[in-house]
Amino acid sequence: MSQAIRYARYGGPEVLTLDDVPLPDPGPGQVRVAVRAAGVNGIDWKLRRGFVDRGQLSAGPAGVGVEFAGTVDALGAGVGTGTGTAVDLGAGAGGWRVGQAVFGRVLSGAVATHVPADVGNLLAMPAWLSFEQAAALPVAVDTAWRTLRELDVKEGHTLLIHAVAGGVGLVAAQLARARGVRVVGTASPARHDFLRELGVRPVEYGGDGGDGGDGGDGGDGMAGRVRAAAPEGVDAVLDASGRDVLAMSVELAGGPDRVVTIADGRAAEYGVRFSRGTGGPPLAEVFADVLPLLERGALRVPIERTFPLERTADAHRLSEEGHLLGKIVITVP
């Protein structure tokens, strides 16, 4: 048997249950991973609340979580020693093997003791990463890398990031800084000293500093603070907050084509692109660029807090509250 965090109806964290489920079999081109850690992302609780209805409850209880780290537990058909796909994705000359430490992503169900995963969404885990650190990476790194490419920010540009202290925001800020981009970011004052260490110019969120989030309310006060922090002007905006900042962002950037959001479902109303994690580059391409930065400490993804599997509901509550520095991670015995 296996165990998985699931929900049978939409609602708050209280709908999550830890269920005994049959041990999943890996399909063709998949491996089964014994999960050691899983990341928590905003999409997890938005799906659970029914804000993003993918019809996931039509066939019964749905799993949660899209990123994980663990060890290969079983190989599906067409996966094994000498598999070309595995070599291409960094599994090594021998291909994927049982017992190998890996990290990656799935569509859902990562918060479990076992999860089947396509090898195309899997990477061999370097020895210098812990399972908790690796589980925090796939979504934040992939999203940050993708949105920076969509915004086409270059050396000498100024990038404004809303919710810069969250997982995606922190990675995007550090990748941009590594490319010679100036970064201004909205965040709660408690995060400002850390952000300055990364070379980010922090700006307090909200028109009056009191909206309680890490994004902003779009008020003139915050726009004025951004202009003061970036007297050279803003060339592009990444909204990772979803807290009604798009109108202000379009004004600051000079047009909707210079703004991307990953969090505000009203993007079309403002002519802004909503960036989704579909059709992007493979993880191997993204991490070929990012892993060297992580290894030498030029990129940091802090873990705000870890929770054991049976306390996943508490992890979701914290994620919904915001005020995070980096990522929340679920640990699996």
Side-chain angles (χ1 to χ4, degrees), residues 166-227:
V168 172
L170 281 176
V171 175
Q174 293 173 85
L175 291 180
R177 292 290 299 140
R179 300 171 187 179
V181 176
R182 294 182 293 265
V183 177
V184 177
T186 62
S188 60
R191 311 304 186 191
H192 287 193
D193 286 345
F194 179 82
L195 293 168
R196 290 188 185 98
E197 292 178 13
L198 302 180
V200 175
R201 306 175 192 173
V203 172
E204 187 175 356
Y205 55 74
D208 59 5
D211 76 342
D214 274 338
D217 64 3
D220 292 337
M222 186 167 66
R225 291 193 292 274
V226 170
R227 291 189 178 99

Side-chain angles (χ1 to χ4, degrees), residues 100-127:
Q100 183 175 18
V102 295
F103 67 108
R105 62 188 179 195
V106 290
L107 290 177
S108 67
V111 185
T113 57
H114 300 83
V115 64
D118 295 338
V119 294
N121 290 322
L122 204 63
L123 289 169
M125 196 181 91

Side-chain angles (χ1 to χ4, degrees), residues 311-329:
R311 291 187 59 198
T312 298
D314 292 331
H316 274 222
R317 288 188 184 93
L318 182 59
S319 179
E320 290 190 58
E321 290 170 3
H323 302 289
L324 304 176
L325 180 63
K327 295 291 294 286
I328 301 169
V329 173

